[in-house]
């Protein structure tokens, strides 16, 4: 088919005069590309308008191993367009199969705008449609990327307590199998009620008190002392355990050699081995149950943070929002990133901070983006501070502060522009702060940034009503 006739079949050129299509044919260059041949690599200059005559072209995400952003069939238009600010390829442009195309260099665009009004109008309409569709897709991808980061952190945070529950439950199961033997040893003891009560009182006092915080050296010294004491009393092989195995649980609950002296004085040497074995069995059981309880509470806290973050158990409309609750939930879900860089977090929220009226899920997306960006900008061991205060009795002013390297002065006025990013290609969409700004405007609020080396402050002002 003649090039002119092929262009005439493009739906977008339905109302373009024939002489203007001929103008394109006279100035454009034909190009053919083999299947999977790169047309533009990520970051390459984009200097041509491309009209796909035959074949198919795909655009791939940077560093994605072939995952596509978009696919262009015959009669598609891509590349640079009149009045477009596109300069570099945001992804890799590849011929998905053998492709035949017309390429019009951007140097012809000035003449195009003056000589071909209808053609220019059609191309500009194509550009606005493309920008709208791409922005919608990019915003969705940004949301999914944010969800992916949170999901990865959540999986990491849940894995530890879940593993602890499973491990402790299995150990407890094995430990309980030794109970009958321990019971036999207890049955052969000659103890009065007063002796049993005095030992029970000591056990429960130790269990109820806060466990001692010991360094490795302190713990080792205490274990050695208790092991020596048990050896001196000839206690060995109680419930198939070594004296070191007996000493460990005793140290965990703060028992000392003086405590064992007190027990010996109350019950006598003949009963000591059985009582110590029974005592240690109970302490081991208590510790395993305590570990399961603490891990379960951690899981409950994480699930509660998810519910608070997503407001999955509440309506999706506008409601009164507790900002500190949202910030804390977000920090729980991003805790793995904070820990990986040893970042310390300071929260400063007055107890009487008023609620703001808004959409909780959207507000939590603000904290996710700002905290995630701050973590990326901070060095290892950095400091993140988040504080809120009432402003003029009409607004809640929240500041997210980090002591990173800061934002260069020459780009501070660009950071809220869509698709602007200082991150490496493939590591950021450039839409995070644009989405943040959009959400804050949706709430009739404002956001400002002030940055210098060593301090970056994002100030978010949201109306109370």
């Amino acid at each position: 088919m003649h090039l002119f006739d092929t262009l005439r079949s493009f739906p977008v050129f339905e109302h373009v005069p024939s002489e203007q299509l001929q103008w394109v044919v006279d100035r454009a260059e034909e190009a053919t590309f083999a299947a999977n041949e790169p047309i533009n690599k990520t970051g390459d200059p984009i200097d041509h308008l491309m009209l796909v005559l035959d074949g198919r072209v795909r655009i791939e995400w940077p560093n994605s191993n072939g995952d596509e952003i978009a696919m262009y069939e015959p009669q598609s238009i891509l590349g640079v367009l009149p009045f477009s600010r596109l300069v570099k390829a945001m992804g890799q442009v590849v011929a998905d199969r053998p492709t035949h195309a017309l390429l019009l260099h951007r140097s012809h665009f000035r003449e195009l705008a003056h000589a071909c009004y209808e053609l220019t109008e059609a191309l500009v309409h194509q550009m606005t449609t493309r920008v709208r569709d791409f922005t919608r897709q990019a915003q969705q991808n940004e949301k999914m990327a944010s969800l992916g980061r949170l999901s990865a952190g959540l999986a990491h945070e849940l894995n530890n307590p879940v593993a602890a529950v499973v491990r402790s439950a299995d150990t407890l199961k094995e430990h309980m199998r030794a109970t009958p033997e321990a019971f036999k040893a207890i049955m052969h003891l000659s103890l009065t009620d007063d002796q049993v009560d005095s030992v029970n009182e000591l056990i429960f006092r130790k269990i109820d008190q806060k466990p001692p915080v010991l360094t490795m050296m302190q713990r080792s010294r205490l274990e050695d002392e208790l092991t020596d004491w048990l050896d001196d009393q000839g206690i060995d092989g109680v419930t198939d355990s070594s004296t070191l195995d007996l000493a460990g649980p005793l140290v965990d609950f703060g028992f000392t050699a003086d405590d064992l002296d007190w027990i010996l004085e109350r019950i006598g040497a003949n009963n000591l081995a059985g009582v110590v074995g029974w005592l240690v069995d109970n302490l081991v059981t208590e510790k395993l149950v305590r570990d399961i309880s603490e891990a379960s509470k951690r899981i409950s806290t994480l699930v509660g943070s998810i519910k608070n973050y997503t407001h999955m158990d509440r309506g999706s409309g506008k409601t009164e929002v507790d900002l500190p609750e949202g910030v804390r939930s977000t920090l729980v879900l991003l805790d793995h990133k904070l820990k990986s860089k040893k970042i310390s977090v300071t929260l400063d929220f007055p107890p009487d901070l008023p609620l703001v009226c808004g959409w909780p899920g959207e507000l939590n997306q603000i904290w996710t983006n700002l905290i995630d960006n701050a973590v990326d900008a901070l060095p290892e061991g950095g400091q993140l501070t988040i504080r809120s205060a009432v402003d003029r009795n009409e607004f809640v002013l929240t500041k997210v502060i980090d002591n990173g390297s800061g934002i260069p002065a020459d780009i501070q006025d660009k950071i809220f522009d869509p698709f602007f990013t200082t991150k490496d290609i493939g590591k950021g969409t450039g839409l995070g702060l644009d989405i943040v700004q959009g959400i804050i405007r949706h709430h009739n609020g404002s956001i400002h940034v002030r940055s210098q080396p060593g301090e970056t402050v994002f100030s978010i002002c949201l109306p109370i009503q």
Side-chain angles (χ1 to χ4, degrees):
M1 182 182 293
H2 191 274
L3 288 177
F4 174 84
D5 296 328
T6 304
L7 291 185
R8 174 50 68 199
S9 67
F10 277 46
V12 71
F13 295 148
E14 179 181 0
H15 302 295
V16 175
S18 298
E19 61 272 17
Q20 295 182 21
L21 294 181
Q22 188 61 50
W23 183 95
V24 174
V25 171
D26 293 341
R27 290 160 178 78
E29 302 174 2
E30 290 186 70
T32 57
F33 304 96
N36 295 314
E37 179 182 349
I39 299 172
N40 287 104
K41 296 181 180 179
T42 302
D44 282 354
I46 298 291
D47 291 324
H48 290 87
L49 164 70
M50 175 182 286
L51 305 168
V52 181
L53 306 177
D54 189 28
R56 186 165 60 196
V57 175
R58 71 175 184 269
I59 300 181
E60 301 173 351
W61 287 111
N63 306 319
S64 65
N65 297 320
D67 293 340
E68 67 183 56
I69 299 176
M71 192 75 75
Y72 292 91
E73 303 287 346
Q75 301 182 341
S76 296
I77 302 173
L78 62 154
V80 68
L81 291 165
F83 307 110
S84 169
R85 293 187 295 176
L86 181 64
V87 176
K88 295 181 179 180
M90 300 185 65
Q92 181 164 259
V93 184
V94 181
D96 191 62
R97 60 190 183 197
T99 298
H100 181 206
L102 273 182
L103 302 178
L104 181 67
H105 195 272
R106 65 163 69 236
S107 61
H108 296 291
F109 285 176
R110 183 180 295 273
E111 180 185 356
L112 169 66
H114 287 288
C116 306
Y117 176 81
E118 289 82 3
L119 176 58
T120 302
E121 183 180 39
L123 293 174
V124 169
H125 177 73
Q126 182 75 9
M127 178 181 67
T128 56
T129 300
R130 185 171 71 182
V131 169
R132 182 175 59 251
D133 292 345
F134 183 79
T135 300
R136 184 185 302 114
Q137 181 181 3
Q139 288 176 339
Q140 182 63 24
N141 290 336
E142 172 66 23
K143 292 179 182 179
M144 293 304 294
S146 178
L147 179 61
R149 291 192 294 270
L150 293 177
S151 298
L154 179 62
H156 178 83
E157 290 295 317
L158 280 173
N159 182 65
N160 290 333
V162 167
V165 169
V166 172
R167 181 175 60 252
S168 296
D170 288 343
T171 304
L172 181 60
K173 182 179 178 180
E174 292 298 319
H175 177 69
M176 295 303 292
R177 290 180 182 274
T179 299
E181 293 301 318
F183 180 70
K184 288 180 183 179
I186 290 294
M187 292 299 293
H188 288 92
L189 299 181
S190 300
L191 295 172
T192 66
D193 289 346
D194 288 341
Q195 288 174 319
V196 173
D197 289 342
S198 62
V199 174
N200 278 337
E201 182 181 345
L202 175 62
I203 292 174
F204 285 115
R205 187 167 69 248
K206 292 293 186 179
I207 288 176
D208 291 339
Q209 73 183 13
K210 189 175 180 180
V213 179
L214 302 172
T215 65
M216 291 292 292
M217 185 173 296
Q218 289 172 328
R219 181 180 181 85
S220 178
R221 180 176 56 79
L222 289 174
E223 285 185 349
D224 289 343
E225 289 179 3
L226 293 184
T227 298
D228 290 343
W229 191 96
L230 294 169
D231 287 338
D232 290 342
Q233 302 303 320
I235 298 178
D236 186 22
V238 179
T239 61
D240 296 326
S241 299
S242 69
T243 52
L244 180 60
D245 292 332
L246 295 175
L250 291 170
V251 170
D252 286 336
F253 286 87
F255 279 85
T256 65
D258 289 341
D259 294 319
L260 297 184
D261 283 335
W262 185 90
I263 292 175
L264 176 60
E265 182 181 342
R266 294 296 186 280
I267 65 173
N270 292 336
N271 296 316
L272 183 62
V275 169
V276 170
W278 173 79
L279 170 62
V280 170
D281 280 341
N282 278 274
L283 294 179
V284 169
T285 301
E286 175 69 23
K287 185 174 189 309
L288 291 171
V289 171
R290 184 176 293 180
D291 289 345
I292 291 173
S293 176
E294 290 177 355
S296 300
K297 288 177 182 177
R298 176 60 178 165
I299 294 171
S300 178
T301 298
L302 288 167
V303 173
S305 296
I306 298 167
K307 292 177 69 175
N308 288 335
Y309 182 87
T310 61
H311 283 246
M312 59 189 295
D313 58 346
R314 311 176 199 179
S316 58
K318 198 173 185 181
T319 184
E320 290 187 328
V321 181
D322 183 346
L323 290 186
E325 179 186 78
V327 171
R328 291 189 180 99
S329 297
T330 304
L331 286 169
V332 169
L333 299 181
L334 290 174
D335 191 51
H336 68 293
K337 291 196 68 173
L338 296 165
K339 287 180 178 176
S340 68
K341 297 183 73 172
K342 299 180 177 62
I343 292 170
S344 58
V345 179
T346 300
L347 300 180
D348 182 9
F349 300 123
D352 57 347
L353 189 70
L355 304 176
V356 301
C357 192
W359 289 267
E362 290 189 2
L363 292 175
N364 285 339
Q365 197 170 351
I366 295 174
W367 315 132
T368 301
N369 278 289
L370 293 181
I371 294 171
D372 194 53
N373 284 348
V375 173
D376 288 341
L378 281 168
E380 185 165 333
Q383 172 70 42
L384 174 66
T385 302
I386 305 174
R387 64 169 60 105
S388 292
V390 177
D391 182 24
R392 292 170 289 174
N393 293 321
E394 297 180 3
F395 302 92
V396 171
L397 177 63
T398 302
K399 296 184 177 182
V400 180
I401 308 166
D402 69 73
N403 65 342
S405 57
I407 304 170
D410 59 335
I411 65 170
Q412 288 184 24
D413 60 345
K414 300 177 183 178
I415 61 173
F416 294 104
D417 291 349
F419 307 113
F420 178 83
T421 179
T422 58
K423 297 179 181 178
D424 295 337
I425 291 175
K427 294 185 178 180
T429 63
L431 284 172
L433 290 178
D434 176 55
I435 290 174
V436 165
Q437 188 176 57
I439 292 172
I440 291 173
R441 286 174 176 170
H442 188 209
H443 286 78
N444 298 316
S446 63
I447 181 170
H448 301 283
V449 62
R450 174 174 56 81
S451 183
Q452 61 186 13
E455 184 183 59
T456 296
V457 182
F458 280 89
S459 300
I460 302 95
C461 196
L462 295 168
I464 296 173
Q465 299 293 336

